[in-house]
Amino acid sequence: MIQHSLNLFFNPSSIAVIGASRTPTKIGYETLKNVLVSNYQGKVYPINPNASHILGLKCYPSVLALPYDVDLALITVPAKFVPKVILECGKKGVQGAIIISSGFSEIGENRLEDEVLETAQKHGMRILGPNTMGFKNATNSLDAAFVYGMPRKGSIALISQSGALSIGMIHLANSELIGLSKVIGTGNKIDIDDADLIRYFSQDSATRVIALYIEEIKNGKDFIEAVKHCHKPIVAIKAGKTKAGAKAISSHTGAMAGSDKIYGSVFKQTGIIRAHDTVELFDFTRALGSQPSSKGDHIGIVTNGGGAGILLADACEENGLVVPPLTKKTYKRIDDVLPPLIHPSNPVDIVGDAGFYRYEMCSRALLEDSSIDALIITSVQAGYARPREFAGAIEKMIYEQHLHEEYDKPIIGCWIGGKEYEDLVIDLKRAGVPIYPSTTRAARAIWALVEQGKKSFRFSKKSKN
Ligand code: ACO
């Protein structure tokens, strides 16, 4: 039942914009315009009792006056008119409504919200919001939100309690060349909430990873149930960790932040991977969306710069990961390709003149070593080494040869340098290769793959140090 109603929600055949405005500065105008300029293929009907045409489309005074069926209503009338509009939608047989309007429980108008929910439930209608930006479906190019900005098409579903933050995150993901499947502002969550969306996305073929920005979860039991049954990686930012943050939440949506310790232990128990900010959220989703989960916490490091290797070893250990010694066989293989006088260890320092071949040979040796579960390949723009050699090796190993699939071990890249590297990794990022410009970010991304592995597999004895 939930699946069916949310399917229609994200893939409606027809949309009514109720409160579509003639004035370009109003939200009702922007909302209608967004639906029209997106590549939405269904029917669109503006509803406004005071207008005959808006943006070239015939207007109807109410949904009840519309001689066609409507699957989804986008509501942009002032809050006090919303209960009547919802009642009309119910009578019309509208399946779902997005209430963009503010002025409900976030300012203490709980009764208005209760009335809306009661009417919607009576008519079997699903509600997103109120006080929401709406949603953006990159899979079918439907922009059902009032704020501009469409994500690149991809496989990460983003669910956010803050509309503005979700838009900022779309722009961040776009500039990081990360594709999203759908972006939803949950607003006050009177009906559709995080649990419903997790259930939906766990079955959505366009979605591989679910990302959440949470201020509060109202129905904790249902949320935990939904997460437990979801077999896709879930990454979440939980805001309001501190007293100042919790206070800011209550003035943002009127919600209670709840104890951060409780959220932390629920995340741990259910396997939700906690990200601390928006950059980290996308670092994690990029890795989880393209690499297999790690079957253990033993990390191999290949680097052309000793300092970068040490920083990575520190960052791995600080995140509870292990940088173990390698087998004798692996040392022998590495020794064969390294210049004389270099003693192989982990991190494997392939030194400043490392070219394509040395990166590839040493990486393969580590992937074939049973004491290694995951690999970080690093390059420092040290002048002596040509950045193209590193980028080419990563491209070949991950993008062309799919070594992460062949060995069923995650591989990520890390680089330290300037513009030349940044330009070289653009194509890699576009292809979904997880590659990061900092040792801390790379180690955290590997940590996320290890955490996901803990949920997917029971780690073998070797991994427990
Ligand atoms: N049915 C259809 N249309 C109606 C009805 C009705 N019953 N009643 C009025 N209208 C029309 C109006 O005539 C008007 O059209 P017009 O401009 O052509 O005359 C249009 O609906 C809008 O009504 P207004 O009274 O002009 O309302 P306004 O646009 O000023 O405000 C709004 C409405 C935007 C919903 C406002 O009340 C509001 O809630 N703003 C905040 C929205 C918000 O921020 N939401 C949270 C998003 S999350 C984030 O921050 C990213």
Side-chain angles (χ1 to χ4, degrees), residues 1 29 49 123-124 139 145 161 176 180 214 262 289 301 311 316 338 359 364 369 389 409 453-454 464:
M1 180 64 189
Y29 180 92
H123 292 89
T139 313
Q161 202 166 349
E176 273 296 310
L180 308 177
I214 300 166
I262 293 174
I301 298 167
L311 287 175
C316 285
L338 288 185
Y359 274 110
R364 269 193 184 271
D369 187 321
E389 303 262 346
K409 294 179 182 181
K454 286 181 187 166
K464 304 226 167 71

Side-chain angles (χ1 to χ4, degrees), residues 2 22 45 60 110 115-116 119 177 246 337 362 406 427 458:
I2 283 171
R22 295 158 290 183
Y45 307 113
Y60 296 86
N110 297 55
E115 196 184 336
V116 165
T119 307
L177 304 167
V337 294
C362 294
E406 187 182 328
D427 287 341
R458 299 270 169 248

Side-chain angles (χ1 to χ4, degrees), residues 161 214-218 238-251 253-263 274:
Q161 202 166 349
I214 300 166
E215 290 176 7
E216 61 139 13
I217 298 289
K218 284 180 183 158
K238 168 65 182 76
K241 274 197 258 185
T242 60
K243 265 190 199 158
K247 198 169 149 229
I249 285 181
S250 97
S251 54
T253 55
M256 298 288 289
S259 151
D260 193 67
K261 265 197 185 145
I262 293 174
Y263 276 99
R274 187 168 188 170

Side-chain angles (χ1 to χ4, degrees), residues 17-29 31 46-51 54 59-63 75-82 84-85 88 99-104 106 130-134 146-147 161-167 185 187-188 252:
V17 180
I18 305 176
S21 169
R22 295 158 290 183
T23 309
T25 50
K26 287 192 183 175
I27 282 179
Y29 180 92
T31 305
I47 308 292
N48 184 328
N50 308 310
I54 301 178
C59 262
Y60 296 86
S62 79
V63 278
I75 299 173
T76 60
V77 295
K80 62 181 176 196
F81 301 131
V82 172
K84 180 172 173 271
V85 163
E88 289 171 354
I99 305 174
I100 288 175
S101 324
S102 303
F104 293 85
E106 80 281 4
N131 189 30
T132 172
M133 66 110 182
F146 75 91
V147 204
Q161 202 166 349
S162 164
L165 191 67
S166 67
I167 299 295
N188 294 5
H252 182 209

Side-chain angles (χ1 to χ4, degrees), residues 78-146:
K80 62 181 176 196
F81 301 131
V82 172
K84 180 172 173 271
V85 163
I86 289 291
L87 181 61
E88 289 171 354
C89 286
K91 286 183 180 163
K92 177 75 181 170
V94 175
Q95 301 284 308
I98 300 172
I99 305 174
I100 288 175
S101 324
S102 303
F104 293 85
S105 61
E106 80 281 4
I107 57 156
E109 293 289 345
N110 297 55
R111 279 178 56 192
L112 209 54
E113 219 167 69
D114 293 345
E115 196 184 336
V116 165
L117 183 61
E118 200 180 306
T119 307
Q121 285 178 338
K122 214 182 290 141
H123 292 89
M125 192 189 333
R126 301 306 306 265
I127 301 284
L128 181 66
N131 189 30
T132 172
M133 66 110 182
F135 72 76
K136 293 175 187 269
N137 184 351
T139 313
N140 66 2
S141 304
L142 168 58
D143 190 347
F146 75 91

